[in-house]
Amino acid sequence: MDVNIRPLQTHLLTRTFGQYKKPDGEFAMMTYYHEFLTETGGLNKQFDLYSMWQYVLANGPRIDVSEGVKSNSKAVAIRQEGNRFFKDQSWSNATEKYNESICWAETGSEEVGIGFANRSAVCYEEKNYELCLLNIMLARKHDCPDRLSAKLAAREQNCKQQIADGNSKGTVPSPMFPINVEVNPKIPFMANGLRMAELPTYGRAMIAERSFEPGDVILHEKSLLTVGDARYLHLNCNLCAEWKPYNLIPCPDCVWVMYCSEECRQQDLRTVHRFECGITAKLKHLNSWMVDMGPKLFFYGLTLFGDNVDKMKQFCDSNKRTGSNPMDVDYSGGTDPLEVFKNLQRVKYTKVKDAFDKRLMFLASVFYTVYMQSPLVRSLITTHQHKRFMLHCFNDYMQLAMQANLFCWDLITGPLFPIASIINHSCDPNVVTAARLSYIKLIVLKPIAKGEQIFISYGPVWYQNKDDRKQEQTMSLFRFQCGCVACNPIRLKRWLRSQSELDEQGKRESSTINLLLNNDAVPLATKTNLLQQFVKRNAYTHPNEAFCSGLQVYTEVLYHALMEEWDTNNRAWAMAELEANERKRR
């Protein structure tokens, strides 16, 4: 199967407007860490967490970053930059600037409404009519001036006509990926026939207790928390970190966060953002990807314990990583966040003792100094015991988050999935998913037999990366030595010798699929189904090169289909919001 497909990792890293923003330099936090190493004589200087904390308290770094105050004049200036991008038809840059303008606009001023009105114009040009209507609604809700009323009304009418004429991108996904097998009665978002096991080589692992076929959807789990890259703060939701630039609404009190819905805004304010609003610029400056999860998880937990530091400390002290199974939590009556958090608190992980551990101690100490600038944090963290407890949790949860993350190579979002976190990596995975969503869907890629371990690839698969140094590269990227069949030269040679050739029917199917894949008129659902049947019927030839090429294409098509499902559901959500608003008006 000779199809030119972009490597999966590159495909995922170009999710944001088709381009991945490369950093101009290192994260600011890493600069501070390197300065610390220079000042203290490098890695040979011994620190434990508490001596590190005392050093940072005494010597810094001092994070001197202005938080900024909402300003209509600044909002106007930024919006004018967006207008210049709009004139040049640079829709993505215009949207980012309009969102930044909305953030800076003073709450209750017409500048907020004008920002939404301008964003509706981008949506219209992008033929995203449902989201255009959503932004027109937001513009009117936020005091858009009367002088723009006629223009908005005309745009609204044009959108409705385009939708009526069948020019919408659609609000019903095809294909859709609901769980399509029997579900676990205790965990209704997971297939029945999955269990956790402790394995000598892997630690925690997910094991199939029944067979599964290609196309089976075996998990649909929402993230507990997600961290996002600060460079995308005007494109991604601050809570779920999903890329929804046309949905975003601002925090009314600070200029550094936006949300894809009022639900996300309220949830973040209730759990974490109330501790961060007022110090957000400093935290965005320190943005360090997945380790940011450490402080967030602490304050999330503190919220669940009713802001009672002593009560949370008592529980954590008596449940120090004794081991847990996330499948023990009962979700049949809905999600109990406190029970999920308590289970997570007991997760046993291997603490790495090396230079990386020292770096995390430094990061935890610096985050401590910033969070203690929050009046709410200072009002709760009052005793020396409280302070040491918060510091310990920062460091502990950083370690946990780094080891639980499934998308190690993706610096844009870092979600935490309590159940999916037990899934291990293989360069020859048997399930596939998509990154940068607030949920994870696991779709079976190739047949899974009873007793097999469920594997996901944390990055490129072996048939996309046949470099002799692949194992070394995997160690560098993921901080563990991959032991899959593709990473063991002796096992790999024996495995490759065992492959079978496609039979005549398989070759005909391969040719047919090639023709259909390059035909844009063929529905995505048809392509997905054809590839699924090809993989199911020819799995016996694995690791045959033609079959692996089919797997690669199937992976790409599934990813595309998952993104289409997500995008279409977002348009459907926008229409539901409009209908709810119309009912309120009546």
Side-chain angles (χ1 to χ4, degrees), residues 214 445-446 531-539 547 551 554:
L445 184 60
K446 56 190 170 99
L531 282 161
Q532 180 179 307
Q533 296 307 314
F534 171 83
V535 170
K536 186 182 296 186
R537 210 189 74 77
N538 297 285
F547 176 76
L551 272 184
Y554 185 39

Side-chain angles (χ1 to χ4, degrees), residues 296-308:
K296 284 183 179 293
L297 195 51
F298 170 77
F299 290 111
Y300 178 81
L302 186 57
T303 297
L304 298 178
F305 279 95
D307 290 353
N308 189 322

Side-chain angles (χ1 to χ4, degrees), residues 24-70:
D24 297 327
E26 289 183 312
F27 289 125
M29 186 72 99
M30 289 309 302
T31 301
Y32 294 137
Y33 181 61
H34 290 151
E35 290 172 354
F36 158 76
L37 291 178
T38 301
E39 292 167 1
T40 58
L43 294 172
N44 293 328
K45 175 75 173 179
Q46 296 299 309
F47 284 94
D48 61 18
L49 178 59
Y50 300 107
S51 61
M52 178 75 77
W53 177 46
Q54 293 300 318
Y55 180 91
V56 169
L57 286 175
N59 300 284
R62 310 283 180 243
I63 311 304
D64 185 19
V65 176
S66 172
E67 289 298 322
V69 178
K70 288 184 182 288

Side-chain angles (χ1 to χ4, degrees), residues 7 67 93 264 393 428 436:
E67 289 298 322
N93 289 323
C264 273
C393 285
D428 184 43
R436 309 202 183 144

Side-chain angles (χ1 to χ4, degrees), residues 164-371:
D165 291 344
N167 296 323
S168 164
K169 295 177 182 178
T171 56
V172 180
S174 179
M176 292 188 288
F177 295 98
I179 293 184
N180 53 6
V181 294
E182 181 187 359
V183 299
N184 186 311
K186 197 169 73 171
I187 309 172
F189 53 83
M190 185 182 79
N192 213 5
L194 296 172
R195 66 178 176 88
M196 192 193 89
E198 292 277 356
L199 303 180
T201 305
Y202 291 95
R204 301 196 307 167
M206 183 179 285
I207 305 296
E209 293 188 309
R210 49 155 288 191
S211 61
F212 293 100
E213 295 295 330
D216 287 349
V217 181
I218 60 174
L219 184 70
H220 182 186
E221 182 182 14
K222 289 188 67 174
S223 63
L224 181 71
L225 283 177
T226 305
V227 293
D229 190 326
R231 290 166 294 174
Y232 298 90
L233 64 94
H234 298 120
L235 299 173
N236 289 16
C237 176
N238 191 62
L239 177 72
C240 69
E242 286 194 346
W243 177 84
K244 290 183 175 176
Y246 302 139
N247 299 50
L248 298 179
I249 57 175
C251 171
D253 299 314
C254 71
V255 300
W256 300 109
V257 301
M258 302 191 82
Y259 299 98
C260 68
S261 66
E262 182 62 23
E263 181 185 4
C264 273
R265 190 185 76 80
Q266 292 287 352
Q267 184 178 338
D268 197 29
L269 182 62
R270 185 174 65 253
T271 55
V272 177
H273 188 59
R274 65 193 177 103
F275 296 100
E276 297 181 345
C277 199
I279 57 170
T280 310
K282 296 178 180 63
L283 295 174
K284 297 291 183 185
H285 172 70
L286 295 175
N287 179 247
S288 304
W289 182 58
M290 202 63 191
V291 296
D292 294 5
M293 183 69 76
K296 284 183 179 293
L297 195 51
F298 170 77
F299 290 111
Y300 178 81
L302 186 57
T303 297
L304 298 178
F305 279 95
D307 290 353
N308 189 322
V309 183
D310 292 319
K311 189 175 179 181
M312 180 179 174
K313 183 176 183 301
Q314 182 180 9
F315 175 81
C316 292
D317 286 348
S318 59
N319 292 273
K320 291 188 174 180
R321 304 294 170 204
T322 53
S324 69
N325 181 349
M327 296 182 187
D328 287 342
V329 178
D330 189 344
Y331 293 87
S332 59
T335 301
D336 183 340
L338 181 58
E339 287 307 307
V340 177
F341 180 84
K342 286 180 175 180
N343 187 281
L344 199 63
Q345 173 63 36
R346 290 189 286 265
V347 170
K348 190 175 183 179
Y349 64 82
T350 304
K351 190 169 182 179
V352 181
K353 288 286 187 181
D354 59 6
F356 186 71
D357 184 43
K358 186 174 185 178
R359 186 193 306 175
L360 289 186
M361 290 191 292
F362 177 80
L363 299 183
S365 300
V366 175
F367 273 122
Y368 169 90
T369 66
V370 173
Y371 275 99

Side-chain angles (χ1 to χ4, degrees), residues 427 465 467-478 480-484 486-489:
C427 300
N465 179 16
D467 193 312
D468 291 339
R469 296 175 58 246
K470 187 174 76 66
Q471 194 175 40
E472 178 184 329
Q473 293 166 349
T474 303
M475 181 68 181
S476 173
L477 185 61
F478 305 143
F480 65 81
Q481 189 168 17
C482 181
C484 78
C487 285
N488 184 310

Side-chain angles (χ1 to χ4, degrees), residues 10 12 28 119 164 203 240 336 386 396 435 499 547 559 566:
T10 303
L12 297 179
R119 199 168 73 186
C240 69
D336 183 340
H386 290 170
D396 180 43
Q499 67 183 271
F547 176 76
Y559 178 80
W566 167 83

